[in-house]
Amino acid sequence: MKRRTFLAAPVALAASPNDTIRLGFIGLGGRAKWLLKNEQFPGAQIVAVADCFLPRCHEAAAIRMDGAKWTKYHDYRSMFDHEKLDAVFVETTPHARALIALHAMQAGLDVYAEKPLTLTVAEGRVLVNAARRYGRVLTT
């Protein structure tokens, strides 16, 4: 399997083949913008984005044709509370990824997070244990 094909694989595991997977993006810096410009998300629909610097949400939405429909959030936790998501892409800075991925799994979401996933081995163990405990897919 090619790396780019694999990008959609974690979220594809979360739903039956007949379902459209509802995606959220958290962190809309350079890597997230690259993904939005260059990747397709077959079987998935981006419905919401979140970034602590709200103008980035609007910049990211301008990248894709359907971006105007996305709900934009300043706080990812509000996105979890208000959206019916299946999975999220965590594209934040490294120091923020572990906590956000943990919160996403606790909210019942599958997670694709950029590398490095965590800053320490201990953080990594917490995420592995959370993925098992909540029955979620976690990949990086």
Side-chain angles (χ1 to χ4, degrees):
M1 176 181 284
K2 293 182 181 178
R3 180 186 64 82
R4 291 188 177 158
T5 305
F6 182 74
L7 285 174
V11 293
L13 299 174
S16 75
N18 296 327
D19 292 338
T20 298
I21 298 158
R22 296 174 53 86
L23 287 178
F25 264 74
I26 303 167
L28 296 161
R31 177 64 178 153
K33 288 178 185 169
W34 187 94
L35 288 169
L36 292 169
K37 284 180 189 174
N38 297 292
E39 297 294 341
Q40 301 302 312
F41 300 94
Q45 176 185 18
I46 300 168
V47 297
V49 292
D51 194 287
C52 61
F53 185 59
L54 198 56
R56 282 190 183 164
C57 293
H58 298 287
E59 291 169 10
I63 293 171
R64 294 180 74 104
M65 296 291 283
D66 62 342
K69 299 179 200 173
W70 301 345
T71 308
K72 292 131 187 108
Y73 292 92
H74 181 256
D75 188 329
Y76 70 89
R77 294 167 294 191
S78 294
M79 183 172 72
F80 293 168
D81 291 341
H82 294 98
E83 300 292 331
K84 293 182 180 180
L85 299 173
D86 299 304
V88 290
F89 276 63
V90 180
E91 306 296 321
T92 63
T93 58
H95 68 271
R97 278 188 204 124
L99 183 60
I100 294 170
L102 178 61
H103 287 165
M105 289 185 286
Q106 289 172 333
L109 306 174
D110 293 333
V111 176
Y112 172 85
E114 284 301 318
K115 62 179 183 177
L117 177 60
T118 64
L119 296 177
T120 67
V121 172
E123 287 178 342
R125 292 300 331 151
V126 168
L127 292 183
V128 168
N129 291 337
R132 289 180 181 149
R133 177 179 182 182
Y134 299 111
R136 305 314 322 158
V137 174
L138 169 66
T139 193
T140 188

